[in-house]
Amino acid sequence: MEEISIEVPVEPPKEYEWYFIPVPKKFVEEAYRKDEFVVFVGPQHPGSGHMRIILRLKGDFITDVIPDPGYVHRSMEKLAEYKTYIQNIPLVERPSIMDFGNYNLGYVRAIEEALEIEVPERAKYIRTILAELSRIGTHLYDAGILAVFLGHTTGFMYPFAVREFIVEMITRITGTRITGSFIVPGGVRRDVDNDTLQKIKRMTYALENRLKKFEKIFITNPTTIARLKDVGVLSKEEAIKLGVVGPFLRACGVEYDVRKVEPYEAYDEIDWEMVVGEDGDGYTRFLVRVNEVSQSINMLRQLVDNIPEGDVISEDIVAFDRKDIRGSFFEAYGDLVLPKGEYTSITEASRGSLLFTIVSDGESTTPYRLRIVTPSWLYLKGFMESLKGERLADLQAIYGSWGYFPPEADR
Amino acid sequence: MVRIKVEKPKVHKSVALHIKAITTAFKEAISPGTITIHYPRERRKLPDNFRGLLQLDKEKCINCFRCAHICPANAIQMYQRENKYYPGIDYTKCILCHFCVDSCPTAALKPSKIHDVAFASLSTMVLPPEELAGEPEMWREDTVTVEYDFDGDLKMIKRKEVENLIVEVEKPKRPEFVAGAAFPENCIACRICVNSCPQNAITFKLQDLQTMVLEIDFEKCTGCMVCIRNCPTQTLLPFRREEVLKGGESDEQG
Amino acid sequence: MNKVDVKLWKIPIPEKPPECRFDWTKERPERVERCKYFGNLKAVVIDKGICSHCGTCYICPVRGIVVEDKPIDFPNWRKDCIDCGACIRVCPRYDYTPLNGLGEYIEAVAGKSKRFKGQDGAMVSEFMAGALEMGIIDVALFVARDEEFKPYVVHITDPDQLKDERITGTKYSFASVMPELHDSIKHVRAVGIIGTPCMISGLRKLQKVVPLYKQKVKLAIGLFCTENFYHWQLKEFLEGRGIDLRKAVKTDIKKGNFIVTYDTGEEFSIPVKEMEEIVPDGCKVCQDFSAVEADASVGSVGSKKGFSSVLIRSETAKEIFEYLKEKDYIEVGEVKIDVIKRLCDYKVKIHPYPKG
Amino acid sequence: MVDVSGIVSGIVEKIFAALTANMVNIPILEPLINKLLQIPLVNLVVAFILWKPAFVILFVPGLLAVTVVLLIMIWWERKLTARIQWRVGPKEVSRRTGGIIQTLADGMRYMFQEVIIHRDAHKLYFLQLPILSFIPVLLPILLIPAGTIYAIRSPYAIQIAVALTALLPIFILGIGWSANNRFAFIGTVREAFLYVAYEIPLMIAVLSMVLLYKSGDPFVIVEKQWIPGIFMNPIAFIAFLIGMVMAAGRLPFDISEADQEIAFGPFVEYSGIIFGLVMGIAYEKLYLLSLIAAILFFGGWSGPEIAFLGELSYAIWLFLKAFVLMGFIVMVRAIYGRYRLDQALKFGWSSLLTFSLIGFFISAGWVIWLG
């Protein structure tokens, strides 16, 4: 359609001078002259956490977008410098509490790399089970948030109900619903009994059963397909250029998964497949995660079946009971000092590659510097890029399809 | 590798999907898979290792400060009681990570299944050691305990019983330690160990004006290692109790 | 790095366990005054003006003794002192007989570092770097300076850290090396320190009293020393003369002159005699120029420009020196021993003891 | 002297006679009404209440029925949705009845909540319009008869009722404009877009049924339904149903409100009881359309007569049919997400319009076939 414009000099109203606007005044004035809307979405967003997106709309179409993250910044990296290595474990899993398994694992792996600790096989399996449980939990959580954004209330309730199964299993393993702080350097805090393991396997069948209903009512619901298909498309080249990570990168057709590329823990001992999409649109991004859930279910069954017997705490750790850290936690970790140097671990968290870097001065019991690069932060740029040219009504659909989690990005 | 490629559904397919969604909703409306637990009247069965509020057994506490030292949230403060120090917990800060429980060498700090407590004000959330023992004042409306189990689908096992929220915890497996003077020559006679010992196991007496004798009573020593951490010159080190006793016997024999 | 080292709570099991009811005895020093031990120290050392501000007394288990940029004190000692007597046992001036002369030495050489840039030949840095590389020590305590030449102690674990010119180079102000040593002695395996002759004396006395320090302090390098200043006094004095320490990159004492060099290359020179008023009392009774008790003594006197004179006194220092020569880190030169000797005698002359 | 009291009593008597001539007949309440009619002045009030046009406005299908719909339907919607979503739904307020008075409790809360009027609003319209929006709700009720209880009988009653119902979005546009807020503007524009997209197919569907019965008079329509209208013209019914969902702003077409996108659109600035009123608009419209649908497709008030209720039994039947229809429509909320505006417009202008036209042709076919 041809655009008709009248060349009349339009001056922005005087009020603009005293409005508090967190973007350059020029941006607003230019939008005014071009007859565009500037819409602030957030920061008190009804979806997940807090983030402001500043949009420039031409009619209903987004022409420009400025993200305004940082509303839930907690200076986690600085806080970590004032806590001992072991005290940081509850801290570092806070960015994304549903995904605690992967966050905890990433941090502990960085410590283990520094201390060159060999982790017992059984502990590795338990860690992988925890990581996969929290991956399913996070994907379900994101699916629920996506459904809320699309106005589908049942699509919100079903994943959150099913997540309760995951949380139940996590409670049985760690003793708490989320924020397990269960993985410690050299193993896990407690052994998991056989009963619980079998229950996890039974849970996966119940999960599958319920997810089938979820699929019928939400995943293949024509309104969902209509809202997400061909919306917020990011091409393969763009995705690589903008540094998108995790399932969102795979949705664009890039075959990259840290669990396959650099297998850690028990990922190379079990049989599973990488999920790769093609179109890079919102629906593929969602479906990739849906399929990852079924892969995780498959993994959980194998892990439960193949778990070896043995200790769960490494020989290198001062622990008096190798099945349960209780009673020797302080002796083992109270005065942990890492040798001097820089240690990095890369983990495939639910939303993408998660990087922990610990810089140690070799003397103190606290890290000299802890760097956390979270997946949400990495794909924020790609998220913003995929918004351009879409409709305002699609903002929430795209937001949901990215599973963007402000507390995780802000750290 | 799983590859995902979705085509836009055709009209007849779309109608089928509509019907599928609607029938699912109708099915659920008729026989719902409700998973709700009617909380105050029913209670979820929690595992024994549940990380709820903390319980303190003052009898077992050896005043070793381990819990206060390890606490990531600085929620534990030691309170002086009859010349000894016991932990008190500030629940405004506590994150229930239970590092303190795992650090406690004598299971004096125990977990419990209590997770639903209301405090009248912020100041009442700071609990001194006396208030940490036993169940808090509770109104329990629950008569039914619900356990989640899975059998193809979720199975909610409802039992007419009231769950005991206090958990019995065994003493953790760990050898007993005692503090011994490993390098007596390093001692600078500062007597900090004497003052810091919560059990009064280290005593000193002046032989004459210039010579001081320090003595550790292994019977009294609980191995809390406070003296070892406080000693400025690494005079004291922990020894395993059985090794010490065996050594003593062998000395007698020799 | 060895895995075992990082676990401080690894329970060591000694070869012979202690007895059932263990006791150990400790001799306590005699009192001169009828008050707590710090009162004795105060009366005998501090008030008499012979305290050298070496900081050894910071061993005080309650950490009550304040070693800062002012005379050593224990605020409120009548109440807080626990009367253990550790301070007077380790104080090198409590029972003071001045050391003087060149002392015993194995070899006297001059050296110049090829790696580092220091005061003259940067031999101190070279010794410590060599010890770190050989694994004799894990940590070396160096004195760094801030913009205003205020000294502070840094832990050096890697020779590369010594490339910083703020760490090498002399500061001419009291630094709290000994307090830092006391604070970190439990956490290190082997440590090397650098100090003025009084600090070395203090360390030796400390090692005699507490064998832990003998076990852990493996290398002690002494510096040739005429006098040392309180930082604030030095700064005020130089400001009075129109010299701004913030612009300075180097301070030095050469041929009886205190020389400050600016970053622009400008040099200011003040005769040391004029600085007599700010020399602390403790330095006025010190006769030890060449750090007689150190493992090695280093200074600029007696060698060519750009070289440092080194008096090697112990086998450890000798080994390190051989290692440095072997690796070709240093250039070896000649040293005029009589020049050093003359200065030693000069110091005895200007600093008579007993005073007056 | 003029006999003032005589004139007044004469007028009163005349009014009383006029009122009692057209009174609702409820056998079960007969003794009570008769007793009340003996008392002076009270008899005037009672006669007025039972006067059919007043009864229509006040009770069925007027204000009382609307209130009941608002209170019960919202509860029913929540309960049904909860059941589908594996939840329990409102329960704690009056636990024995399953929380049926939950909506009342919410209404009470709204009542005592502060009504905030922000600085930029056009205060007059901002407060007026939600209350004025009762006009297009109550006017059509005059034209919708419940059996013999009716206010106005006209051969164009259905057409006029639908036309009056279509006025409601105008008030929503006014609300959005007076709120003077970006989200309200966007929501208003969306509402305006959608308005045309659903109102035309809806009217065509109604007209096709009117064509089928050859009259817009509800009495004729009910009389002519030897089988319910839904079986005569199911296509028109589907068009009407979808149009109804869109008109009532229910999911998947609650595009103008869209709380996740534009935070309740036109109603973004409302609070307190006024918010309660504006949120009621959608339910009121749904109720009106359900009444019309009940008349057009489900045989209106025809049903077994309940003797002791007399004339009221027709009203009850009509109300029940409308209520059941509403009960099914609210369930759609649990099944669908929200379409985008352009998708909804496309659907409205293509599929829905085609459907309604097909319905129209089927009606025409019936008319030709039956003669």
Side-chain angles (χ1 to χ4, degrees), chain B residues 186-187 191 210 218 231 239, chain C residues 14 19-20 26 28 186 212:
Chain B
N186 280 349
C187 180
R191 307 185 305 280
Q210 255 62 50
F218 288 157
C231 178
F239 293 84
Chain C
E19 287 161 25
C20 251
K26 213 65 199 174
R28 305 206 315 157
K186 276 173 84 174
L212 179 73

Side-chain angles (χ1 to χ4, degrees), chain D residues 46-93:
Chain D
V46 173
F48 178 72
I49 287 175
L50 290 174
W51 186 47
K52 276 179 183 170
F55 193 81
V56 165
I57 293 282
L58 290 176
F59 295 99
V60 186
L63 279 173
L64 184 73
V66 168
T67 318
V68 170
V69 161
L70 277 180
L71 291 183
I72 306 291
M73 190 45 67
I74 292 175
W75 169 81
W76 168 249
E77 178 185 349
R78 289 178 65 181
K79 210 69 183 168
L80 184 70
T81 320
R83 214 172 147 78
I84 294 171
Q85 293 171 350
W86 307 338
R87 293 186 287 128
V88 175
K91 180 181 165 221
E92 289 297 315
V93 182

Side-chain angles (χ1 to χ4, degrees), chain C residues 90-343:
Chain C
V90 299
C91 181
R93 297 281 165 103
Y94 186 73
D95 186 13
Y96 187 42
T97 39
L99 298 160
N100 50 32
L102 275 173
E104 287 179 17
Y105 60 91
I106 301 171
E107 197 178 348
V109 285
K112 183 187 179 184
S113 168
K114 289 177 183 172
R115 292 192 286 176
F116 307 114
K117 197 158 169 284
Q119 190 74 0
D120 297 294
M123 279 309 289
V124 177
S125 312
E126 204 49 80
F127 259 104
M128 282 300 173
L132 281 170
E133 279 175 21
M134 287 170 75
I136 294 173
I137 58 172
D138 283 345
V139 184
L141 301 183
F142 266 76
V143 179
R145 62 169 173 88
D146 63 5
E147 286 78 12
E148 296 187 332
F149 267 77
K150 197 175 167 74
Y152 63 92
V153 182
V154 288
H155 291 230
I156 302 293
T157 49
D158 190 354
D160 283 344
Q161 285 172 286
L162 294 171
K163 296 260 160 49
D164 186 355
E165 281 184 45
R166 288 199 170 168
I167 294 173
T168 60
T170 318
K171 279 92 195 169
Y172 295 102
S173 315
F174 292 116
S176 34
V177 176
M178 291 307 285
E180 188 67 32
L181 179 69
H182 287 310
D183 278 341
S184 54
I185 192 73
K186 276 173 84 174
H187 311 297
V188 293
R189 192 178 62 86
V191 64
I193 69 160
I194 301 149
T196 51
C198 48
M199 288 180 195
I200 303 297
S201 311
L203 177 74
R204 293 302 180 218
K205 190 149 185 194
L206 181 64
Q207 285 179 333
K208 233 178 271 168
V209 177
V210 187
L212 179 73
Y213 287 84
K214 194 166 192 84
Q215 187 191 330
K216 292 201 171 177
V217 183
K218 298 282 195 212
L219 185 64
I221 307 252
L223 301 168
F224 289 178
C225 173
T226 43
E227 53 255 315
N228 217 346
F229 306 100
Y230 289 114
H231 176 258
W232 65 273
Q233 275 186 331
L234 180 66
K235 195 171 145 225
E236 265 179 23
F237 177 81
L238 291 176
E239 268 167 14
R241 298 291 172 107
I243 301 168
D244 192 356
L245 270 176
R246 280 171 219 204
K247 291 183 197 160
V249 289
K250 192 177 176 183
T251 54
D252 203 355
I253 294 184
K254 279 258 171 72
K255 309 215 164 78
N257 286 328
F258 190 84
I259 300 163
V260 180
T261 315
Y262 272 14
D263 47 3
T264 49
E266 227 175 323
E267 276 193 12
F268 295 88
S269 150
I270 303 157
V272 176
K273 274 183 189 146
E274 290 176 27
M275 298 172 80
E276 194 70 19
E277 53 186 290
I278 63 162
V279 172
D281 286 342
C283 286
K284 290 182 183 163
V285 294
C286 175
Q287 299 177 348
D288 186 4
F289 175 75
S290 62
V292 177
E293 289 175 302
D295 285 331
S297 306
V298 180
S300 63
V301 178
S303 52
K304 286 190 290 186
K305 192 172 160 40
F307 277 82
S308 299
S309 317
V310 183
L311 296 177
I312 295 165
R313 301 182 196 275
S314 76
E315 286 302 323
T316 324
K318 177 85 182 152
E319 269 173 40
I320 297 166
F321 193 74
E322 292 302 326
Y323 170 80
L324 293 174
K325 267 205 290 194
E326 191 183 309
K327 288 270 180 183
D328 197 27
Y329 287 147
I330 54 167
E331 217 174 291
V332 184
E334 285 293 311
V335 64
K336 294 174 191 134
I337 197 76
D338 43 333
V339 179
I340 305 172
K341 180 95 179 87
R342 204 160 62 227
L343 264 160

Side-chain angles (χ1 to χ4, degrees), chain A residues 197-238:
Chain A
L197 290 173
Q198 288 310 317
K199 205 163 241 181
I200 289 174
K201 198 175 173 191
R202 289 208 300 280
M203 185 273 291
T204 58
Y205 292 105
L207 196 67
E208 237 173 13
N209 185 12
R210 294 254 168 166
L211 284 178
K212 262 180 209 149
K213 288 173 186 167
F214 176 59
E215 185 177 357
K216 276 182 202 154
I217 212 158
F218 181 68
I219 299 173
T220 60
N221 192 314
T223 53
T224 313
I225 298 175
R227 282 302 297 276
L228 291 174
K229 189 94 190 92
D230 298 331
V231 164
V233 181
L234 206 64
S235 71
K236 191 172 174 177
E237 290 72 34
E238 260 182 321

Side-chain angles (χ1 to χ4, degrees), chain A residues 38-40 148-154 157-158 161 210 217 221 223 226-227 231 391-394 396, chain D residues 81 84-87 182-183 186 190 251-252 259-262 333-340 342-343:
Chain A
V38 175
V39 176
F40 292 12
V148 163
F149 282 152
L150 298 183
H152 198 306
T153 44
T154 310
M157 288 297 170
Y158 277 20
R210 294 254 168 166
I217 212 158
N221 192 314
T223 53
R227 282 302 297 276
V231 164
R391 287 169 184 275
L392 172 65
D394 281 332
Q396 266 63 43
Chain D
T81 320
I84 294 171
Q85 293 171 350
W86 307 338
R87 293 186 287 128
R182 268 181 189 72
F183 289 127
I186 295 170
R190 287 179 175 193
L251 279 163
D259 52 343
Q260 286 88 17
E261 288 159 26
I262 46 174
R333 198 185 110 160
I335 307 174
Y336 287 114
R338 184 183 302 111
Y339 276 117
R340 211 163 52 209
D342 56 329
Q343 288 162 347

Side-chain angles (χ1 to χ4, degrees), chain A residues 133-327:
Chain A
L133 279 176
S134 45
R135 188 183 312 280
I136 298 175
T138 315
H139 284 341
L140 287 174
Y141 176 92
D142 284 352
I145 296 298
L146 169 65
V148 163
F149 282 152
L150 298 183
H152 198 306
T153 44
T154 310
F156 167 72
M157 288 297 170
Y158 277 20
F160 270 70
V162 173
R163 215 199 78 176
E164 196 61 28
F165 302 175
I166 306 285
V167 167
E168 168 74 17
M169 285 346 287
I170 290 174
T171 313
R172 278 171 189 278
I173 296 172
T174 67
T176 186
R177 289 168 61 85
I178 41 173
T179 63
S181 313
F182 195 64
I183 301 169
V184 287
V188 291
R189 271 163 77 173
R190 249 189 315 281
D191 196 7
V192 182
D193 59 5
N194 211 24
D195 216 32
T196 310
L197 290 173
Q198 288 310 317
K199 205 163 241 181
I200 289 174
K201 198 175 173 191
R202 289 208 300 280
M203 185 273 291
T204 58
Y205 292 105
L207 196 67
E208 237 173 13
N209 185 12
R210 294 254 168 166
L211 284 178
K212 262 180 209 149
K213 288 173 186 167
F214 176 59
E215 185 177 357
K216 276 182 202 154
I217 212 158
F218 181 68
I219 299 173
T220 60
N221 192 314
T223 53
T224 313
I225 298 175
R227 282 302 297 276
L228 291 174
K229 189 94 190 92
D230 298 331
V231 164
V233 181
L234 206 64
S235 71
K236 191 172 174 177
E237 290 72 34
E238 260 182 321
I240 294 169
K241 195 181 82 187
L242 296 170
V244 176
V245 290
F248 313 105
L249 181 67
R250 294 196 282 281
C252 298
V254 184
E255 294 164 15
Y256 179 81
D257 190 324
V258 180
R259 292 172 290 170
K260 279 277 186 216
V261 178
E262 298 169 46
Y264 52 89
E265 304 306 323
Y267 281 114
D268 50 349
E269 295 167 34
I270 48 173
D271 190 26
W272 62 282
E273 313 233 319
M274 195 196 297
V275 185
V276 181
E278 223 162 72
D279 304 336
D281 60 353
Y283 198 50
T284 319
R285 280 198 286 274
F286 178 47
L287 278 191
V288 164
R289 284 179 287 156
V290 168
N291 279 288
E292 268 188 16
V293 168
S294 43
Q295 287 297 330
S296 294
I297 288 174
N298 184 17
M299 271 189 237
L300 282 176
R301 285 177 195 157
Q302 289 183 41
L303 286 166
V304 170
D305 287 340
N306 300 338
I307 189 162
E309 288 297 317
D311 296 344
V312 294
I313 297 159
S314 163
E315 293 288 329
D316 302 332
I317 294 292
V318 186
F320 307 115
D321 184 357
R322 303 247 168 251
K323 288 269 189 192
D324 190 348
I325 196 77
R326 199 162 62 86

